[in-house]
Amino acid sequence: MLGRQQIAGVQNALFELFKNAHDAYANQVAVDYFEDFGSDGEGFLIIRDDGFGMTFSDFVDKWLVLGTESKAVANSPPYCPAGLKPRPITGEKGIGRLAIALLGEQTLILSRAVRDDGVQDLVVGLVHWGLFEIPGLNLDEIEIPVEVVSGGCLPNEDTLSRMRIKLKDCATSIQAKHPEANARRIIEQIESFQPDLSSVYGYLATTEDRKLDLIGTETGTHFLIAPSNPVIKLELEHEERESDYSFRKHLLGFAESVFEKNAEPRIRTSFRRWRPGDIRGQELLDPSTFFTREELLNQSDHFLDGNVDDFGQFKGTLRVYNKHYDIVIPWGGAGGRLTRCGPFSVNFGYVMGRPTESLLPADSYWELNRKLNYLGGIYIYRDGVRILPYGDYSFDWLDVEKRRNKGAGYYFFSFRRMFGAVLLTRARNGDLQEKAGREGYQQNEAYRQLRDILVNLLLYIAAEFFRKTGANAEAFELAQAEIRKRSAALERQQKQSATKKRNFTIALESFAEDIRTGLPAATTANLMRITQSRMDAAAQIKDQDKAAAALIRAEQEAISSLAQLRQKYTRKRPSGVALGRDLQRDWDAYVIERQKLETEVFSQFEQQVANTLGAVAEQARVYVDQRKRLEERIKYLANERKKDLAEAARNANATASDTRQTVFTITERARLALDETIRAIQADLNRTDLTGMDPERIENMRRKWEGQLTDIEGRHRDALTAARDMLASLAENLRASDGEAPAQIMEAMEERMLALEDQADEDFEMVQLGLAVAIINHEFSSSIKRVRLSIQDLGQISRRNNGLRPLYESIRSNFEHLDGHLNLFTPLQRRLHRARIRIDGKDIRNYCNELFLNRLERHNVEIVSTNQFLESVVECYPSTLYPAVINVVDNALHWLSSVSEQRQIEFHADREAIYISNNGPVIEGFDNQRIFERGFSRKSGGRGLGLFISAKALEAEGMALRLVEARAGYTVTFAISIAADGGKRN
């Protein structure tokens, strides 16, 4: 009853076990929940920590005893491992540990202790909580089997079987003494609970980064619970279904590392959910899911930080957007007496509810907004450990939302927009007592004072800094107005750009589709047939003059139709809009294809029309006046160009007229606003009797009216001045560049912004990749020496044992192959290997043959080398050259697998470069440069990093990786150029 009915829920029960692990000086506590475990689909729960554990007497005399003496009493301090800083104890009377009864029907407890006299033997206990539910039973009728396992081992099946028999005998005995008790289900569950500990711990060890077991000298306490409470699965399914953090929000942020300066979490927590078929469990308590110190200090729009003293008076700092204040907030409830709640610290960040009112960039805003929706609220930490349920947005313990519902503008704060904490200690805030069920603090005088102080603080800040009538609200109002104005302007610009980009994308896609289907060529061919038919018909006319005119007219109609066709397949790049990387690629591809279309189709059509006209005229003996023909051609073209220019002029004049009308509207609005203010002041003056009025009051009225006039005039004057400056700058740029500069400037600025955003993303990912490789390199370097020595030792042994020799040769060969593959990491580790060496062609050929031996055989690919290559020598960094060669050969092997003829890769060299050729698929012209861009790949599932990294690495050393014209007999050739300041060619 104490375990299952006192604790609010399964999350609270887990939280209590986290606290017990903290009190046992654990560095980490991990929960692994296996759904649908076993044939009956029941859950299996494992809870492990690496604390100092329980001895046999601790387990029997304390853990299994109700209402033990408080862990927190001064005359009985808990054990503290040598060399560790003492931890404040979070538990008290041992009721929290009984929360484990809420997590499942039966529990296998494993605990290995360490004390001053060393590591103890493993203590094993088996409890079925259903026995304690049988009514009319005395506790002394229940026997809990406890075993001690020595030798640093886990209990074997014999030990576990013996414990199950004892517990089952106990249940059978109870059933005999109490016939009314239905112990059949309990007996069946005891019999079915047969975990294979070696398999369980072996599997967990392969799926986690940190060791957490009880083998050898490892210490801690572990609970294996089955069947687990089905509510756990229901809670997790509800969280997944609702896409919220309804389960994990109670467990996140257990140890403080965000809200207190320089705080480090004493203990790491983990909860992994394993569903059938999972290779790695889903981690629910990833630290990045919770708030970070960086978000609190630098990504909140407003930030409060300070301390409340023994009398409830707050002193600290407040940041409103980018303006900082030193503030003191009095609390009148002290009455000159010390508070019962004691002194404490408090800080919280606040993020505005709309992105148009926030200083945060859009991506940062929405990421932090997502966390606030899940985890927003004011938390309470005592001695660095969270107190439930504070911080849960659904538990608004300061009535923030209740007040906000009365008036959002008046009370300002919203609980979900806040993230912060009240920081307490047991020493300073001892009168704050937790409820037995761990549902917050008892409603005593200390808690009421704590709450009143914080409510007073929020009311004061809202009134002084965020309410329109507040003494310090001007900075907030001005900053918010400026942010809104900027956001609105940016939104308009982005909306316009997005529309232009969308239309441009559709136009490019339609062009690409027509090119793929061959529509332009087919249309031109059909047009040629029609033109041929018209010219043939003209040649049949008897009258020579009429025949010549008909021929010229047929040519003119063909050229006119061609002009329409050219116009149809011409795409104009939108002015003043940055395309971005992907759209720029599509535009570059269009330019290439459009040029090919012009050269191979349209120009040839024009030439064919001219040739046909001459041939038909000669055959029919018709004289064509070339002057008249040319005049007709120029006249037609001039009319078309005039028509196009007139249309552009009309559009420009219409836009200019619209701009003029807009400026006129703004100026008229400003004039009317000022006139209306003047009339209002005059009306107020006419209604005011100044006779006998206090001169100070008259002066105040004068200042108020003058302020209104100055404010309205200043606001509109600033807006008109800004509009004038913008138009003046636009006019100047138009005069200087015939109209092109403004759009080019805007386009360049937007292009620069997009490039910087892309570069930031790339840099972040590359930093992560570099860190990962650095870690791999470090771990590999520190362990590979031992592996090499072991292989050498094995070689010595194998010389004396012929049976071991083949095994040794196989291990050595495969290890050397793996060692060669690890050289792929060298582009990112160049600074670790800075020695230039002489590398000849034979070295490169042999290296590639060894590295790709299996793939060359599997794909039937041959590597050939010219004599020039084998005799060539390059002096450079191997960590720069080898990875580039490897990447090119690796790509060649991939694409060669798709061709059926003889597959070959050739190495060639001259005094300028090394050439790597293959006879795989041709690289299309518009991909020639794109293949070196980060993220571009034609491979299925390719990441587009290989050639990008290689090219960058070579460029940094004064070398270059290029795609050049294919050598004779091959379809693709890459060149690694050797520059004077990079590698040296011999």
Side-chain angles (χ1 to χ4, degrees):
M1 183 188 72
L2 288 174
R4 295 190 177 182
Q5 297 181 17
Q6 284 280 85
I7 303 300
V10 292
Q11 297 98 320
N12 297 66
L14 290 169
F15 200 87
E16 287 302 310
L17 295 176
F18 285 3
K19 288 163 69 174
N20 285 350
H22 169 275
D23 292 350
Y25 287 83
N27 293 312
Q28 56 183 321
V29 55
V31 180
D32 289 273
Y33 173 64
F34 295 86
E35 285 186 10
D36 302 326
F37 178 80
S39 58
D40 296 332
E42 298 170 329
F44 181 36
L45 193 66
I46 304 175
I47 305 167
R48 300 171 292 156
D49 71 58
D50 60 354
F52 56 58
M54 292 184 286
T55 64
F56 180 83
S57 61
D58 288 335
F59 183 71
V60 173
D61 299 332
K62 293 182 180 179
W63 199 87
L64 291 177
V65 176
L66 289 176
T68 53
E69 191 172 294
S70 173
K71 290 193 286 184
V73 296
N75 60 359
S76 179
Y79 172 73
C80 176
L84 295 182
K85 183 180 178 181
R87 291 183 182 179
I89 299 304
T90 62
E92 292 192 4
K93 297 178 175 60
I95 294 177
R97 66 169 174 263
L98 297 177
I100 199 168
L102 185 63
L103 298 175
E105 295 284 354
Q106 56 189 337
T107 305
L108 176 66
I109 304 100
L110 308 175
S111 187
R112 189 188 306 282
V114 60
R115 295 295 185 266
D116 292 333
D117 57 348
V119 177
Q120 311 290 306
D121 289 334
L122 183 70
V123 179
V124 186
L126 181 62
V127 182
H128 194 295
W129 303 105
L131 295 174
F132 296 90
E133 295 179 344
I134 298 175
L137 204 66
N138 291 322
L139 284 177
D140 58 8
E141 295 182 63
I142 300 176
E143 181 182 358
I144 295 177
V146 181
E147 297 273 347
V148 175
V149 179
S150 59
C153 301
L154 294 172
N156 56 29
E157 178 54 32
D158 289 341
T159 303
L160 295 179
S161 177
R162 189 165 58 249
M163 296 176 73
R164 283 196 299 271
I165 291 172
K166 287 183 180 179
L167 191 59
K168 188 172 68 171
D169 289 345
C170 174
T172 304
S173 175
I174 291 173
Q175 178 72 65
K177 295 179 182 178
H178 301 271
E180 71 282 0
N182 183 13
R184 176 59 52 194
R185 182 180 61 87
I186 296 175
I187 294 171
E188 290 175 352
Q189 287 181 341
I190 294 172
E191 290 176 340
S192 64
F193 187 39
Q194 301 183 29
D196 184 346
L197 297 185
S198 60
S199 296
V200 169
Y201 279 90
Y203 178 74
L204 292 175
T206 62
T207 61
E208 57 193 3
D209 300 328
R210 303 179 181 94
K211 187 177 182 181
L212 201 61
D213 61 33
L214 293 173
I215 301 172
T217 59
E218 299 294 326
T219 64
T221 300
H222 297 186
F223 303 98
L224 286 75
I225 305 168
S228 62
N229 192 333
V231 172
I232 300 176
K233 182 178 180 181
L234 295 175
E235 290 277 8
L236 289 170
E237 289 175 344
H238 178 271
E239 175 178 298
E240 190 172 46
R241 186 170 57 253
E242 298 298 326
S243 298
D244 61 10
Y245 284 5
S246 57
F247 179 83
R248 74 183 82 179
K249 68 183 179 182
H250 299 277
L251 303 176
L252 282 165
F254 171 78
E256 158 59 3
S257 61
V258 176
F259 305 107
E260 189 173 359
K261 186 178 181 181
N262 299 324
E264 290 290 337
R266 300 190 191 99
I267 183 172
R268 297 183 299 272
T269 59
S270 168
F271 186 107
R272 287 191 295 178
R273 180 188 186 187
W274 299 84
R275 282 176 280 200
D278 280 357
I279 298 176
R280 292 188 67 88
Q282 178 192 3
E283 177 59 67
L284 300 186
L285 304 185
D286 190 315
S288 63
T289 308
F290 197 61
F291 300 109
T292 66
R293 184 77 178 169
E294 167 68 17
E295 290 169 339
L296 180 71
L297 297 180
N298 301 321
Q299 294 191 25
S300 55
D301 290 313
H302 319 300
F303 176 62
L304 175 81
D305 184 26
N307 300 297
V308 174
D309 64 18
D310 296 274
F311 296 91
Q313 315 305 305
F314 175 86
K315 183 177 182 180
T317 60
L318 174 68
R319 173 173 56 78
V320 178
Y321 288 126
N322 291 323
K323 188 172 180 59
H324 296 260
Y325 302 89
D326 292 319
I327 60 173
V328 174
I329 302 178
W331 178 62
R337 298 186 301 274
L338 295 174
T339 57
R340 297 295 299 274
C341 65
F344 58 88
S345 300
V346 60
N347 59 58
F348 66 83
Y350 192 86
V351 178
M352 299 300 292
R354 298 187 184 93
T356 55
E357 298 175 344
S358 174
L359 287 176
L360 291 177
D363 53 346
S364 299
Y365 177 87
W366 291 114
E367 173 61 24
L368 187 52
N369 185 72
R370 183 182 64 82
K371 288 187 179 182
L372 288 169
N373 286 335
Y374 293 149
L375 304 167
I378 299 296
Y379 294 73
I380 292 182
Y381 285 88
R382 184 174 66 184
D383 293 317
V385 174
R386 182 181 168 189
I387 303 296
L388 290 179
Y390 307 104
D392 181 357
Y393 60 77
S394 61
F395 182 68
D396 185 8
W397 61 288
L398 296 176
D399 289 339
V400 175
E401 294 301 330
K402 181 179 178 180
R403 289 190 298 274
R404 183 177 174 84
N405 288 337
K406 296 179 181 178
Y410 191 83
Y411 292 105
F412 182 71
F413 291 109
S414 172
F415 204 54
R416 265 195 173 177
R417 311 306 307 166
M418 310 167 74
F419 62 110
V422 177
L423 305 175
L424 309 172
T425 66
R426 184 183 292 274
R428 296 191 304 174
N429 314 104
D431 285 349
L432 290 166
Q433 300 291 327
E434 279 191 85
K435 298 176 182 178
R438 304 304 190 261
E439 297 175 89
Y441 283 121
Q442 298 175 19
Q443 303 286 324
N444 58 17
E445 183 180 0
Y447 175 76
R448 293 181 183 279
Q449 287 180 343
L450 173 74
R451 186 178 174 281
D452 288 347
I453 291 168
L454 293 170
V455 169
N456 173 71
L457 184 148
L458 295 176
L459 292 174
Y460 181 91
I461 293 174
E464 288 290 313
F465 296 93
F466 299 108
R467 202 174 293 163
K468 288 187 177 181
T469 57
N472 296 294
E474 182 180 3
F476 171 70
E477 293 288 334
L478 291 176
Q480 192 177 51
E482 185 64 27
I483 293 170
R484 285 173 176 167
K485 188 189 301 181
R486 257 199 328 264
S487 297
L490 181 61
E491 185 178 356
R492 286 196 301 272
Q493 170 64 23
Q494 290 176 339
K495 187 178 292 185
Q496 293 171 0
S497 295
T499 301
K500 290 181 179 180
K501 286 181 182 179
R502 184 168 56 253
N503 294 337
F504 187 53
T505 300
I506 293 171
L508 291 180
E509 288 176 350
S510 68
F511 174 85
E513 180 62 26
D514 287 349
I515 292 296
R516 277 193 293 270
T517 58
L519 186 60
T523 305
T524 307
N526 186 55
L527 182 58
M528 190 63 235
R529 285 193 293 271
I530 295 172
T531 303
Q532 179 76 53
S533 176
R534 287 175 177 171
M535 288 184 174
D536 289 342
Q540 302 300 321
I541 300 175
K542 301 294 185 181
D543 189 315
Q544 291 286 313
D545 293 336
K546 291 182 179 180
L551 278 173
I552 293 173
R553 188 162 54 253
E555 180 192 34
Q556 194 61 49
E557 289 174 353
I559 297 304
S560 176
S561 298
L562 179 63
Q564 295 175 8
L565 204 56
R566 276 193 171 114
Q567 183 66 30
K568 178 181 179 181
Y569 291 108
T570 298
R571 303 292 183 263
K572 296 291 186 181
R573 176 170 177 159
S575 61
V577 176
L579 300 184
R581 179 177 297 173
D582 293 339
L583 196 51
Q584 182 66 47
R585 287 174 178 169
D586 293 341
W587 168 251
D588 293 341
Y590 159 78
V591 171
I592 294 172
E593 291 297 328
R594 181 62 177 79
Q595 184 61 40
K596 287 172 60 178
L597 189 63
E598 180 65 33
T599 304
E600 299 174 5
V601 179
F602 296 154
S603 295
Q604 290 187 13
F605 174 80
E606 280 186 311
Q607 186 62 43
Q608 192 176 2
V609 168
N611 294 341
T612 301
L613 184 143
V616 170
E618 182 179 356
Q619 184 179 3
R621 301 177 184 274
V622 175
Y623 171 73
V624 177
D625 188 340
Q626 294 297 333
R627 175 176 294 280
K628 182 177 180 181
R629 177 190 174 202
L630 188 58
E631 286 175 350
E632 289 291 331
R633 183 81 175 268
I634 296 298
K635 180 180 178 182
Y636 169 79
L637 187 61
N639 288 335
E640 289 296 315
R641 297 293 82 84
K642 281 183 180 180
K643 191 187 304 179
D644 293 343
L645 187 59
E647 177 66 20
R650 280 196 300 274
N651 292 336
N653 286 328
T655 303
S657 298
D658 184 58
T659 303
R660 179 181 178 84
Q661 182 61 42
T662 301
V663 173
F664 176 78
T665 302
I666 293 173
T667 55
E668 186 65 16
R669 191 184 303 141
R671 186 186 64 77
L672 292 174
L674 182 59
D675 288 346
E676 184 179 348
T677 302
I678 292 172
R679 287 194 297 271
I681 292 173
Q682 288 175 340
D684 285 347
L685 182 60
N686 293 336
R687 287 193 294 266
T688 304
D689 184 5
L690 301 178
T691 306
M693 184 178 289
D694 189 326
E696 184 176 351
R697 186 178 174 190
I698 294 175
E699 185 65 18
N700 289 337
M701 292 173 62
R702 179 189 66 78
R703 282 199 296 268
K704 184 185 76 169
W705 289 332
E706 288 181 354
Q708 290 177 352
L709 286 172
T710 302
D711 179 66
I712 194 71
E713 183 272 337
R715 260 191 301 120
H716 287 286
R717 175 163 46 81
D718 290 345
L720 289 171
T721 302
R724 182 205 64 192
D725 292 343
M726 187 184 302
L727 292 172
S729 175
L730 177 63
E732 180 63 28
N733 286 325
L734 288 171
R735 280 193 297 270
S737 62
D738 292 333
E740 293 182 355
Q744 291 175 346
I745 292 172
M746 183 177 296
E747 181 180 331
M749 291 176 64
E750 190 173 348
E751 197 75 59
R752 175 67 173 161
M753 181 188 71
L754 291 175
L756 288 173
E757 289 178 353
D758 290 342
Q759 187 64 45
D761 292 340
E762 291 177 10
D763 290 347
F764 178 71
E765 292 184 13
M766 292 306 294
V767 166
Q768 287 183 313
L769 184 60
L771 288 174
V773 171
I775 292 169
I776 292 171
N777 182 79
H778 176 270
E779 294 301 316
F780 178 75
S781 298
S782 63
S783 60
I784 200 64
K785 294 177 183 178
R786 294 192 299 272
V787 177
R788 288 196 181 103
L789 290 174
S790 298
I791 290 177
Q792 290 173 6
D793 293 342
L794 183 60
Q796 296 293 332
I797 296 171
S798 69
R799 289 191 181 95
R800 299 189 297 270
N801 188 331
N802 292 332
L804 283 177
R805 195 65 187 176
L807 177 62
Y808 162 72
E809 292 294 339
S810 175
I811 292 174
R812 183 183 63 81
S813 174
N814 283 284
F815 172 74
E816 289 176 353
H817 184 65
L818 175 63
D819 200 3
H821 274 297
L822 287 165
N823 283 302
L824 290 171
F825 290 131
T826 53
L828 296 175
Q829 295 292 327
R830 283 181 289 112
R831 297 191 179 277
L832 300 179
H833 312 283
R834 298 302 294 170
R836 288 177 181 265
I837 65 172
R838 291 169 61 84
I839 304 172
D840 61 35
K842 294 178 182 177
D843 293 332
I844 298 174
R845 181 198 61 182
N846 295 339
Y847 184 86
C848 289
N849 277 325
E850 291 175 6
L851 184 62
F852 295 107
L853 176 63
N854 293 335
R855 289 180 65 188
L856 290 170
E857 293 177 352
R858 186 167 65 250
H859 297 301
N860 194 25
V861 177
E862 179 187 9
I863 291 182
V864 298
S865 305
T866 65
N867 291 332
Q868 296 98 314
F869 177 78
L870 295 177
E871 294 169 1
S872 67
V873 177
V874 180
E875 186 175 328
C876 66
Y877 301 119
S879 55
T880 300
L881 180 60
Y882 276 115
V885 174
I886 290 168
N887 269 304
V888 174
V889 174
D890 177 72
N891 285 337
L893 286 170
H894 172 82
W895 293 111
L896 280 167
S897 63
S898 63
V899 300
S900 56
E901 63 266 16
Q902 182 181 7
R903 302 166 181 172
Q904 199 169 68
I905 297 173
E906 183 202 65
F907 286 135
H908 175 66
D910 57 24
R911 297 193 60 82
E912 303 298 328
I914 294 171
Y915 301 93
I916 306 172
S917 305
N918 70 78
N919 58 347
V922 176
I923 298 177
E924 297 294 339
F926 47 82
D927 281 348
N928 285 356
Q929 294 304 316
R930 298 173 71 185
I931 59 175
F932 298 106
E933 294 180 6
R934 181 188 176 279
F936 177 81
S937 177
R938 294 291 185 190
K939 290 182 182 178
S940 177
R943 296 186 61 198
L945 287 176
L947 292 177
F948 167 75
I949 293 174
S950 298
K952 288 291 185 183
L954 289 168
E955 183 182 343
E957 305 299 347
M959 304 161 75
L961 176 62
R962 301 176 287 121
L963 184 68
V964 297
E965 184 177 351
R967 279 173 50 81
Y970 295 94
T971 53
V972 177
T973 298
F974 284 89
I976 300 177
S977 303
I978 311 298
D981 56 345
K984 296 180 181 178
R985 163 69 68 203
N986 295 311

